[in-house]
Amino acid sequence: MSRKLIAGNWKMNGSLAANQALLRELLAGVKAPVCQVAVCVSMPYLAQAQELLAGAAIELGAQDISAQVSGAFTGETSAAMLKEFGVRFAIVGHSERRQYHGETDAHVADKAKAALAAGITPIVCVGETLAQREAGQTEEVVKRQLAAVIHTNGHCISEIVVAYEPVWAIGTGKTASPEQAQAVHAVLRAQLVAASTLKAATTQDKRVPILYGGSMNAANAAALLSQADIDGGLIGGASLKAADFMQIIAAAQ
Ligand code: 13P
């Protein structure tokens, strides 16, 4: 099996000084990681992070990407712009963007397409709210969210990363249990396998990484990451503390 991916989502946190301190600590501690490691920083800090991470084993990610190529789209950042800063990953469809910016499944799918066209790996986030979980709709919700991305991206879905982030677990300290997470990951895995079997034969053997996100921390990472279909983590709060983030990386062995 391929290496796990541990990605930090810094969200709207950081400053030039804080980023420098955090990245220097990570660079000192993450020299030859057993897994793939990335940090997804705010747009204004891409240049700073690119410079500090040059030649390092930590890759750079953005937290969003425009579905458009260029033009009159105030406030947006295109895939080509991100490429100029060495961006390797772009988070798309994070629940905070779905919730606060009205991003629909179709829009998220278009963003994934724009990323793929530029050679950036989209980290496609899916996940149910607490109300949806309690109503027994978890499977239906995450499958619908992923289906839109599969529909729009065809055989290219073998190049994406998926992140299962139950909305009720994000920033709440309430982590999905390893069994709860694994159950949803298995559903997503089956959906991805079915889709790739229907598309090009070349994609059949490639396993799309499915990350877990939602209050993952140094204490619970190992149990989550040991599940059969959990291929890594997308970490918010705990990625802002070098020691915690490095413990999670160590747990991904
Ligand atoms: P927390 O790890 O802070 O719960 O955030 C998870 C997340 O939203 C990562 O994208």
Side-chain angles (χ1 to χ4, degrees):
M1 208 203 103
S2 56
R3 293 190 307 162
K4 292 197 191 292
L5 167 61
I6 301 295
N9 174 8
W10 289 4
K11 308 195 178 183
M12 198 171 71
N13 293 292
S15 65
L16 288 172
N19 303 344
Q20 188 177 66
L22 176 53
L23 288 176
R24 285 205 170 143
E25 260 192 273
L26 291 177
L27 288 168
V30 185
K31 292 241 163 69
V34 285
C35 60
Q36 221 181 343
V37 179
V39 289
C40 301
V41 310
S42 292
M43 301 296 184
Y45 298 131
L46 287 173
Q48 180 199 23
Q50 181 188 29
E51 195 179 327
L52 286 168
L53 296 176
I58 302 173
E59 297 183 284
L60 186 55
Q63 297 170 16
D64 188 26
I65 190 168
S66 179
Q68 309 296 334
V69 173
S70 67
F73 301 101
T74 302
E76 301 230 342
T77 308
S78 73
M81 292 171 186
L82 297 179
K83 273 302 260 193
E84 287 203 295
F85 292 93
V87 166
R88 165 90 171 74
F89 296 100
I91 297 171
V92 300
H94 192 282
S95 60
E96 287 150 16
R97 294 211 58 87
R98 292 179 191 261
Q99 186 180 350
Y100 305 130
H101 300 272
E103 290 189 9
T104 62
D105 293 341
H107 194 189
V108 171
D110 287 341
K111 287 185 171 202
K113 188 171 186 175
L116 288 166
I120 292 173
T121 301
I123 301 178
V124 177
C125 299
V126 300
E128 81 288 3
T129 63
L130 184 59
Q132 288 165 333
R133 174 163 280 265
E134 286 175 346
Q137 296 167 345
T138 299
E139 205 171 301
E140 174 193 330
V141 169
V142 298
K143 282 173 85 170
R144 189 201 69 222
Q145 291 171 332
L146 184 56
V149 177
I150 292 171
H151 174 76
T152 300
N153 290 280
H155 69 271
C156 292
I157 53 134
S158 63
E159 303 302 323
I160 72 171
V161 170
V162 174
Y164 169 55
E165 297 208 316
V167 179
W168 49 271
I170 295 176
T172 57
K174 282 187 203 148
T175 321
S177 69
E179 296 73 25
Q180 280 175 320
Q182 167 57 29
V184 179
H185 280 232
V187 167
L188 296 169
R189 175 82 63 216
Q191 190 179 5
L192 287 163
V193 168
S196 60
T197 310
L198 288 174
K199 314 277 181 198
T202 50
T203 63
Q204 282 185 31
D205 296 331
K206 187 162 172 183
R207 179 168 158 133
V208 171
I210 308 176
L211 316 182
Y212 170 80
S215 298
M216 191 187 265
N217 58 38
N220 62 27
L224 286 159
L225 293 168
S226 67
Q227 297 297 310
D229 289 297
I230 301 188
D231 304 316
L234 185 56
I235 295 106
S239 72
L240 298 170
K241 295 180 205 133
D244 290 20
F245 193 52
M246 289 191 290
Q247 278 190 58
I248 297 171
I249 292 167
Q253 302 234 8

